[in-house]
Amino acid sequence: MSDSTPIPTVIIGAGPVGLAAAAHLVERGLDPLVLEAGPTAGTAVRDWSHVRLFSPWSEVTDPAAEKLLAPTGWVRPDGTTYPTGGDWAEHYLQPLADVLGDKVRYGTTVTGVARAGRDRIVDSGREEQPFTVHIRTTEGREERITARAVIDASGTWSGPAPLGANGLPALGEKACADRISYRVPDLKDPAVRARYAGKRTAVVGSGASAFTALAYLADLAKEEAGTHAVWILRRGLGADTYGGGEADQLPARGALGLRAKAAVEDGHASAVTGFRTQAVEQEGDRLVLVAEDGRHLDPVDEVIVLTGFRPDLSFLSEIRLGLDERLQAPTALAPLIDPNVHSCGTVYPHGVKELSHPEQGIYLVGMKSYGRAPTFLAMTGYEQVRSITAALAGDQEAAERVELTLPETGVCGGAGLFDEPENSENAERSGGGCCAPATVQTLQIGGPATTASGGGC
């Protein structure tokens, strides 16, 4: 890089929030450089291309990105419809990356970020030094890139949480890896469908991804005899187990919970509550989950673990980050997104102030900024990068201004089923509302299935 070449702001990840950050920088006359490990824009999004978002098109595109796309003739899809991950990548993310042109580099993995000439412990002259970003290309070549600031929008998709309830892999989890998945299955893929058809599958998790997997497996059960899901919950069934229902201001998110509820009520899934997995044991060609309290689940053929994600902080080890000790989110942001207190509808819109670290000029944004919290929405990330890029441009008034109103109620996650035709019927049948069903079939370990109260609002 010559002395006359502007030093770019490096953005890690060409997903929705990373590309939005680039669009905002371009709008302000600043130079972005987006580094994407995969071969295309939205590589992680494409991994769940079969899953439908619970936010409509009007809420998953960024205003600055739309302005950048407009001269190409791009037109946003119907704002009232709900894209799949594949739709999002094909009809928005890739066109946006194409407009950015050589400002996006593919096949480029960031292996380290530091202050130029300063390791983590050196104070002298630290703030005056630019960042140096170490990368490795798919050809194995190593390079260093100088950056005036770094926006890490790499997400958490590569770090699924394990099966073990204590945050570590359950005993035997790695040994049984060939029958354990950490993704919502694409049951339209013949090979994946064959894996679960006629099988007994444990689904571990309580968020939107688990709801989606339960709904998909319930649909499969209607066509393939012997297909059954065992829903493993670390807590009990309560008023908020299925989300906000018809009271959710994101209707697709509410409908998703109702689909999971219907799967249980219709007998396609059984709920096992208060089960904190400690071990996975092999029994012939099947698996037995063992809880911390000694309970053994009846054998299953497959396990789908949907217990959240963790941020990869390894390549930031030479940077002075201020992270909450529990959530691994920025210290000022953590109290606003604590899942013990908040759903995405009660998260206060936030920007550069809450996302700053002791090391000036570096920001974790998007899903990665939430650390282990699952309550992220795309439009939250767009507001984050609007504020951060305003600050980088010296527009402090705009950086501190809140320009986002979030929908209320419900819980957050990554998928929805709302615009599938059968959902209106399911919503009507299930009765909606915020409550868990008055009665649900709960599987009692070591005994017959009984009916247990599901609580109320």
Side-chain angles (χ1 to χ4, degrees):
M1 184 178 295
S2 68
D3 293 339
S4 61
T5 303
I7 299 178
T9 292
V10 165
I11 300 166
I12 306 174
V17 179
L19 292 174
H24 280 274
L25 287 168
V26 169
E27 185 176 50
R28 288 187 170 273
L30 301 177
D31 292 289
L33 177 60
V34 183
L35 305 177
E36 167 59 44
T40 62
T43 299
V45 174
R46 294 174 193 270
D47 278 351
W48 48 271
S49 61
H50 59 291
V51 177
R52 194 169 300 281
L53 281 76
F54 55 54
S55 295
W57 270 112
S58 62
E59 296 176 359
V60 297
T61 57
D62 175 80
E66 290 194 21
K67 291 178 184 177
L68 198 60
L69 283 163
T72 71
W74 179 88
V75 177
R76 186 184 69 192
D78 182 352
T80 65
T81 61
Y82 296 77
T84 62
D87 296 333
W88 204 14
E90 180 181 354
H91 300 299
Y92 171 63
L93 300 179
Q94 193 62 58
L96 178 55
D98 291 344
V99 168
L100 289 165
D102 60 6
K103 298 181 189 301
V104 180
R105 290 183 58 178
Y106 301 110
T108 305
T109 299
V110 174
T111 58
V113 180
R115 286 285 185 182
R118 307 289 189 275
D119 66 18
R120 185 186 183 111
I121 67 173
V122 176
D123 291 333
S124 178
R126 187 176 191 87
E127 297 299 333
E128 289 72 41
Q129 294 299 108
F131 290 96
T132 179
V133 180
H134 290 225
I135 64 171
R136 183 181 63 250
T137 68
T138 50
E139 296 82 19
R141 187 175 68 255
E142 293 182 317
E143 299 177 28
R144 288 189 296 184
I145 297 172
T146 301
R148 68 182 293 258
V150 176
I151 298 175
D152 182 357
S154 60
T156 57
W157 182 249
S158 62
L163 175 60
N166 63 359
L168 299 175
L171 298 178
E173 182 172 350
K174 294 181 180 179
C176 300
D178 60 330
R179 279 167 290 170
I180 300 177
S181 170
Y182 302 86
R183 305 286 189 251
V184 175
D186 181 3
L187 297 181
K188 293 181 180 178
D189 181 318
V192 177
R193 183 183 178 92
R195 177 173 177 174
Y196 297 99
K199 303 291 181 63
R200 181 178 168 87
T201 299
V203 177
V204 185
S206 59
S209 294
F211 291 169
T212 305
L214 290 169
Y216 285 1
L217 290 170
D219 289 342
L220 182 62
K222 297 171 187 176
E223 301 174 3
E224 298 285 351
T227 304
H228 189 79
V230 183
W231 187 18
I232 310 298
L233 292 153
R234 293 173 180 172
R235 58 188 180 185
L237 290 168
D240 62 349
T241 299
Y242 298 98
E246 292 179 347
D248 199 322
Q249 287 189 18
L250 286 177
R253 187 175 59 196
L256 179 59
L258 298 177
R259 285 285 298 275
K261 179 181 177 183
V264 174
E265 290 182 328
D266 293 346
H268 299 308
S270 304
V272 180
T273 60
F275 193 98
R276 298 179 176 274
T277 307
Q278 176 176 269
V280 185
E281 297 179 352
Q282 298 190 50
E283 186 175 294
D285 59 355
R286 307 185 84 190
L287 303 179
V288 174
L289 301 187
V290 183
E292 291 179 343
D293 60 10
R295 286 183 291 166
H296 285 60
L297 189 67
D298 289 339
V300 296
D301 301 289
E302 299 282 343
V303 179
I304 300 174
V305 182
L306 301 168
T307 53
F309 294 88
R310 280 95 177 271
D312 178 8
L313 301 170
S314 61
F315 59 85
L316 300 174
S317 61
E318 294 306 314
I319 294 296
R320 298 175 179 180
L321 298 177
L323 298 176
D324 178 75
E325 61 183 11
R326 293 181 303 130
L327 297 184
Q328 294 178 297
T331 305
L333 176 61
L336 306 180
I337 63 172
D338 186 344
N340 295 300
V341 179
H342 294 284
S343 76
C344 47
T346 62
V347 172
Y348 180 79
H350 52 274
V352 66
K353 179 180 177 181
E354 293 83 1
L355 295 167
S356 294
H357 294 274
E359 192 86 68
Q360 296 180 23
I362 185 153
Y363 304 96
L364 311 186
V365 300
M367 191 66 225
K368 189 161 186 177
S369 71
Y370 273 43
R372 298 191 181 199
T375 51
F376 180 76
L377 287 174
M379 52 186 169
T380 302
Y382 298 155
E383 171 65 8
Q384 289 178 341
V385 296
R386 183 207 62 79
S387 173
I388 288 168
T389 54
L392 290 175
D395 188 349
Q396 199 60 31
E397 187 276 331
E400 295 178 359
R401 185 173 63 242
V402 173
E403 298 184 359
L404 176 66
T405 301
L406 292 170
E408 297 178 353
T409 75
V411 294
C412 304
L417 301 165
F418 183 74
D419 62 347
E420 294 183 5
E422 65 270 25
N423 278 316
S424 58
E425 177 185 347
N426 287 332
E428 181 178 350
R429 175 181 56 179
S430 62
C434 67
C435 305
T439 58
V440 296
Q441 283 298 112
T442 302
L443 185 66
Q444 302 295 323
I445 306 301
T450 60
T451 301
S453 170
C457 292

